[in-house]
Amino acid sequence: MYLVTMLGNLLIILAVAFDSHLHTPMYFFLSNLSLADMGFISTTIPKMIVNIQIHSRVISYAGCLTQMSIFILFGSIDDMLLTAMAYDRFVAICHPLHYPVIMNPRLCCILVLLSFFISLLESQVHNWIVLQLTCFSDLEISNFFCDPSLLLKLACSDTYTNNIIMYFFVAIFGFLPISGILFSYSKIVSSILRVPSSGGGYKAFTTCGSHLAVVCLFYGTGIGVYLSSAISHSPRKDAVALAIYTVVTPMLNPFIYSLRNRDIKRAMRSFLGRNLISVSMECSLKNAEKLSLYT
């Protein structure tokens, strides 16, 4: 599943990079989302695979903090990029004539950089909260990666203030992207309802289908993880829920976009076809050289 995720997201990045027809804001955000998904899954799964192979579950304190920070960084970047993509669809449907002017390359780069710096701030806040802990009552984390909420539970000292600060920032960084997505889609739906023909409204909304599916998958699995940890106090079930969140979501994103998007499928066929032709030509030339040398 890890290899499928990496290959699928890498193909989307290469298809967008090598096809000039896909050099648009929507696919620019999509390639950055694929890059963030690759970082998101690479933060936890390779370490887990190594642990399984060498039968060791040990991680250093510095390694634990680094893993936690990078995990939150890429997860938050995913969140912010989904909001930027929702805004892109809002402008494309509600203000189509002004779309090239509003969604210019400068604004797209600013949105991506803003997503990165906000996510970096969030990850460092969590890192700072964990660094305030002076000691741990237990050195065993009941999960396959360093989750900040689990680290707070292992602390010897009172973590009430740290919990308040952490949940406050989580609420802010979580509420703003969700509210942005809901606002964008409320405007999109109201704009589509004003379209006189049902066919035109359906065609406009189909451009949001892939993004809406990814948003539902991302937040649906996230809410599922939260509810699972709140309802059942089984560490094994919590680990399984988090594995689905960290593995299945990044793996399905390329399939959702490639299966529902004709431009992506065409670009992938073109990219793969071009590379297969070049590989076959190189093999033919090498065989011809061997044949000439033999003769």
Side-chain angles (χ1 to χ4, degrees):
M1 291 172 75
Y2 175 71
L3 292 176
V4 168
T5 304
M6 297 298 287
L7 180 61
N9 283 290
L10 183 62
L11 281 175
I12 285 184
I13 293 171
L14 293 175
V16 172
F18 286 98
D19 195 328
S20 58
H21 297 94
L22 299 183
H23 293 174
T24 60
M26 182 175 72
Y27 295 112
F28 173 71
F29 291 131
L30 176 59
S31 58
N32 280 279
L33 182 68
S34 295
L35 190 62
D37 281 337
M38 292 171 69
F40 184 65
I41 192 172
S42 297
T43 308
T44 57
I45 303 305
K47 173 65 176 172
M48 182 181 70
I49 295 172
V50 170
N51 290 347
I52 293 171
Q53 293 298 319
I54 65 174
H55 304 288
S56 172
R57 298 178 296 169
V58 178
I59 186 170
S60 66
Y61 180 68
C64 183
L65 292 179
T66 304
Q67 186 186 59
M68 180 193 69
S69 299
I70 297 175
F71 177 80
I72 295 171
L73 172 67
F74 283 114
S76 183
I77 289 175
D78 266 359
D79 202 4
M80 298 295 171
L81 286 176
L82 288 174
T83 309
M85 294 171 78
Y87 177 71
D88 173 72
R89 292 298 85 206
F90 158 70
V91 176
I93 293 174
C94 300
H95 305 283
L97 298 178
H98 298 91
Y99 179 76
V101 178
I102 297 173
M103 297 303 297
N104 56 73
R106 183 171 176 270
L107 178 63
C108 294
C109 292
I110 288 173
L111 288 175
V112 171
L113 289 174
L114 193 63
S115 300
F116 173 77
F117 284 116
I118 291 175
S119 304
L120 184 63
L121 175 63
E122 183 182 4
S123 69
Q124 292 311 302
V125 166
H126 283 82
N127 205 11
W128 174 79
I129 290 172
V130 174
L131 282 171
Q132 303 306 306
L133 305 177
T134 53
C135 67
F136 295 97
S137 59
D138 190 4
L139 296 178
E140 184 174 341
I141 300 169
S142 58
N143 212 324
F144 62 92
F145 72 99
C146 293
D147 188 4
S149 60
L150 294 176
L151 289 175
L152 287 176
K153 291 179 181 178
L154 300 178
C156 303
S157 55
D158 183 24
T159 60
Y160 179 77
T161 305
N162 291 333
N163 276 312
I164 293 294
I165 296 171
M166 186 180 72
Y167 286 119
F168 174 75
F169 277 97
V170 167
I172 291 176
F173 289 117
F175 175 75
L176 290 177
I178 292 174
S179 59
I181 292 172
L182 292 176
F183 173 79
S184 297
Y185 274 103
S186 65
K187 293 293 184 181
I188 289 170
V189 170
S190 62
S191 177
I192 288 173
L193 291 176
R194 291 197 297 267
V195 176
S197 64
S198 59
Y202 175 76
K203 186 178 180 181
F205 194 72
T206 51
T207 62
C208 307
S210 298
H211 176 259
L212 197 58
V214 171
V215 167
C216 292
L217 180 66
F218 182 80
Y219 286 105
T221 52
I223 293 171
V225 168
Y226 175 77
L227 292 177
S228 173
S229 60
I231 296 171
S232 70
H233 299 284
S234 170
R236 184 177 181 83
K237 290 182 179 178
D238 292 345
V240 170
L242 274 168
I244 294 172
Y245 178 67
T246 55
V247 178
V248 176
T249 303
M251 184 185 72
L252 291 181
N253 285 354
F255 291 101
I256 291 172
Y257 272 100
S258 60
L259 293 175
R260 292 183 57 88
N261 195 303
R262 293 179 182 177
D263 294 333
I264 288 289
K265 286 192 285 188
R266 177 185 53 78
M268 281 189 175
R269 281 197 297 264
S270 175
F271 175 76
L272 291 173
R274 186 165 60 245
N275 281 275
L276 287 174
I277 290 171
S278 62
V279 169
S280 63
M281 289 180 65
E282 287 180 5
C283 290
S284 299
L285 289 171
K286 287 180 180 179
N287 290 332
E289 288 175 2
K290 288 179 181 179
L291 183 62
S292 62
L293 287 172
Y294 178 74
T295 55

